[in-house]
Amino acid sequence: MRGGGGGGGGGGGGHPGFRGVDIEAQKRINAAAPKIPHLGRRVVALFRPYRWALVFTAILVVVGAGIAVIPPLIVQRIFDDALFPTDGSPPDIPLLWRLVALMVLLFLVSAGLGVLQTWFTSTIGNKVTGDLRVTLFDHLQSMELAFFTRTKTGVIQSRLQNDVGGVSGVLTNTFTSILGNAVTVSASLVAMIIIDWRLTLIAVVMMPILVLVQRRVGQVRARIAGETQESLSELTAITQETLSVSGILLSKSFNRQRAESARYADENRNQVRLQVRRAMSGQGFFAVVQVLMASVPAVIYLVAGYFITGGDAVITAGTVVAFTTVQARLLMPLMGLMRVSLDLQTSAALFARIFEYLDLEPAIRDAPDAIPVEQAPGPLGRIEFRDVVFRYPDAAPGARPTLQGLSFTAEPGQHVAFVGPSGAGKTTVLYLTPRMYEASEGAVLFAGEDVRRLQHESIIDQVGIVSQETYLFHATIRENLRYAKPEATDAELEAACRAANIHHIIEGFDLGYDTVVGERGYRLSGGEKQRIAIARVLLKDPPVLLLDEATSALDTVSEGVVQVALDAAARGRTTLTIAHRLSTVIAADVIHVIEAGRIVESGTHAVLIEQDGLYAELAAQQLAASRILEAEESDEPADHPDRRADRPPAEPRPAPAAVPAPLAPWVPTPEVPGT
């Protein structure tokens, strides 16, 4: 959007035709914007907290624009009364001093009002924009997981960055620009009529010619500007694709660095060519415009000469100078007002796209009478599925449900594993447990209460998730760990990392816990990233642990190390594990085999092998895995009494099964009141 009017009342900033906007393309974009009821009323409501500041800004704009047309009237008096008195007397120096001082004072006041107006408009516009950005971001945080799985990340980023960024210019400049331009045009026309109504008619007759020529120049430059922006977008895309960690790995893997550099150089040459075209485009038109703009005063001089020759005493030198001065101030704000319609349409389209997202209703919301998990009737850590049927929101009509009447119970401290073919619905079970998705039919119970009657945040507080794709921020190890518990002490961080079998590795880094892990943790190995993720969950210390194929992407050695850390993390917690590698769930208390959304087999590893069903078939396909072979040859699976469901939680636990050094048992950190 164009700059604010400033105290001088220009209001329009640079000429609107010179802006890098393709008018027709912008109109098409505006027409495609969603239709939002009561849009104007909702936009106005954004300014309610700043309404008095906005009123004061409007007063500044009106006063500044009004003051801007007074100096030409003073110029008329300087010429006709002070420098060249009409009665033929010598110049009136005292009057000249007073008039000049008044002009300088008006310029100072106008400049001061301009600075003050700019501060107010910038403050109001940016505060409203900031409020809108935070509101939109906060609303997106409340949306369900399904929204993000079906919406491109780039689209969401565009709403937050491009649309809200575009609104910033609208909020900061458009209101004051329109108001300043309108006041300037009105005041200038009034001043011109007061000076000489006949010259006003002549100037107004020539104005449309200037407007038409200026618009043509703007259209030519706008088309080139559109191509330039597309080229810049392509350069940005090449940079993002090629210079990201994944892009660099890909180009180096296929030895395509020179090809990527050549592609960037080609697009850069195109950008340079377009920039030169943009700079040189319409120079002939500009020459014509300059001639026409200079012609208006020239015509005024010519007409004034005829008036004076005809004996018209009203036309004086002061009249001509004052009139041409006012007329010169009229052109830019007048043409700015001609673009008001497009500006308003563009701003409405931006707001509509933003409000479209703000109007989205989260599919998962707390019921009015929702209670915290602490008030649930059952034991903490008990999870139960009762005849759960689930269909993903974007599933095709008539498609088979992902889960079909699935039922199971996980008791506190029990380790329950889910295995089965890809697409059977295993991961969906984990999503439904903390209510990341809503069951289509049936009920999911957490601590003995339907999750739909529990406060969602309180459920999440009781659950820790370790997924196959570990996400680490481009920050230090310490900062990544404290994401789970911002107030955690260094001792707590160290204890969690010892339990996750990663502390000794972190200590080996030059910067220790202050080591920056890089984008998505690329500076660490897969096993190291996974163990840091486990330590992060341990720091949260949840009673329920959800493991979604946490070792499937690791090599055998890393898998073994991470599995030891997972065993320590699962100790004493209700654990639901999704696994493709059966070696990771051999010691689970119960294994459910899921096929086509149903549990078709249940039991321990040994029992399921004896049944010679689907589980045995899956095991046969993985006989090459050493953990499977070793487990089959061992006398019996290792007992994990601390995970058993046949012992009350209050009963003292036996010592945990031995694990390889340097693993130390994880001791949950007791909560201290007031911390």
Side-chain angles (χ1 to χ4, degrees), residues 295-352:
S295 298
V296 173
V299 172
I300 296 299
Y301 299 150
L302 178 63
V303 173
Y306 277 105
F307 285 159
I308 294 173
T309 303
D312 191 340
V314 177
I315 301 294
T316 62
T319 300
V320 174
V321 173
F323 186 89
T324 53
T325 303
V326 176
Q327 180 272 330
R329 300 189 61 84
L330 179 63
L331 179 63
M332 295 306 179
L334 180 63
M335 298 187 67
L337 285 176
M338 296 183 66
R339 289 293 300 275
V340 168
S341 176
L342 180 62
D343 286 338
L344 293 179
Q345 291 175 11
T346 301
S347 62
L350 291 171
F351 277 115

Side-chain angles (χ1 to χ4, degrees), residues 299-612:
V299 172
I300 296 299
Y301 299 150
L302 178 63
V303 173
Y306 277 105
F307 285 159
I308 294 173
T309 303
D312 191 340
V314 177
I315 301 294
T316 62
T319 300
V320 174
V321 173
F323 186 89
T324 53
T325 303
V326 176
Q327 180 272 330
R329 300 189 61 84
L330 179 63
L331 179 63
M332 295 306 179
L334 180 63
M335 298 187 67
L337 285 176
M338 296 183 66
R339 289 293 300 275
V340 168
S341 176
L342 180 62
D343 286 338
L344 293 179
Q345 291 175 11
T346 301
S347 62
L350 291 171
F351 277 115
R353 284 190 284 271
I354 294 171
F355 282 122
E356 181 186 26
Y357 266 29
L358 287 175
D359 290 342
L360 292 174
E361 292 288 343
I364 297 176
R365 292 181 294 177
D366 288 345
D369 58 346
I371 60 174
V373 170
E374 292 75 13
Q375 297 179 14
L380 186 62
R382 191 174 195 272
I383 298 169
E384 183 179 0
F385 277 49
R386 294 180 180 174
D387 296 321
V388 171
V389 176
F390 177 76
R391 298 177 179 84
Y392 279 97
D394 53 354
R400 176 182 62 81
T402 303
L403 297 181
Q404 305 183 70
L406 189 140
S407 299
F408 73 90
T409 300
E411 298 294 346
Q414 191 176 22
H415 186 183
V416 178
F418 298 88
V419 300
S422 296
K426 304 183 297 297
T427 300
T428 303
V429 173
L430 260 59
Y431 285 150
L432 290 173
T433 299
R435 205 188 173 198
M436 295 291 189
Y437 285 94
E438 195 89 271
S440 305
E441 300 176 26
V444 177
L445 279 67
F446 195 97
E449 184 61 77
D450 192 319
V451 293
R452 288 169 289 199
R453 292 202 62 251
L454 295 174
Q455 294 173 359
H456 190 227
E457 288 187 358
S458 71
I459 300 176
I460 298 299
D461 287 340
Q462 309 299 326
V463 174
I465 302 175
V466 180
S467 63
Q468 173 184 350
E469 185 177 353
T470 300
Y471 190 92
L472 298 179
F473 297 103
H474 185 74
T476 65
I477 295 175
R478 190 187 312 277
E479 290 168 328
N480 273 284
L481 290 171
R482 283 194 171 133
Y483 189 77
K485 188 179 180 182
E487 71 281 4
T489 64
D490 290 345
E492 290 175 317
L493 297 182
E494 183 176 329
C497 289
R498 286 185 185 277
N501 204 13
I502 188 65
H503 172 72
H504 63 289
I505 293 179
I506 297 175
E507 287 290 286
F509 296 147
D510 291 339
L511 297 179
Y513 282 83
D514 292 319
T515 301
V516 176
V517 302
E519 183 180 358
R520 301 181 66 85
Y522 267 105
R523 297 184 63 187
L524 304 176
S525 70
E528 290 167 349
K529 287 192 296 183
Q530 202 67 297
R531 278 179 280 170
I532 288 177
I534 295 169
R536 185 165 57 187
V537 170
L538 288 174
L539 196 62
K540 183 180 180 181
D541 195 19
V544 175
L545 190 62
L546 307 180
L547 306 178
D548 187 6
E549 302 183 32
T551 63
S552 63
L554 304 178
D555 59 79
T556 304
V557 175
S558 297
E559 177 193 345
V561 176
V562 172
Q563 189 59 47
V564 169
L566 288 173
D567 288 341
R571 199 169 294 139
R573 311 173 198 274
T574 304
T575 304
L576 303 187
T577 301
I578 304 298
H580 275 301
R581 296 183 182 179
L582 303 185
S583 59
T584 62
V585 296
I586 290 175
D589 295 309
V590 61
I591 301 173
H592 296 300
V593 183
I594 299 181
E595 184 180 28
R598 300 178 183 275
I599 294 178
V600 295
E601 296 175 13
S602 295
T604 63
H605 167 75
V607 170
L608 292 174
I609 289 294
E610 290 179 1
Q611 290 181 358
D612 198 23

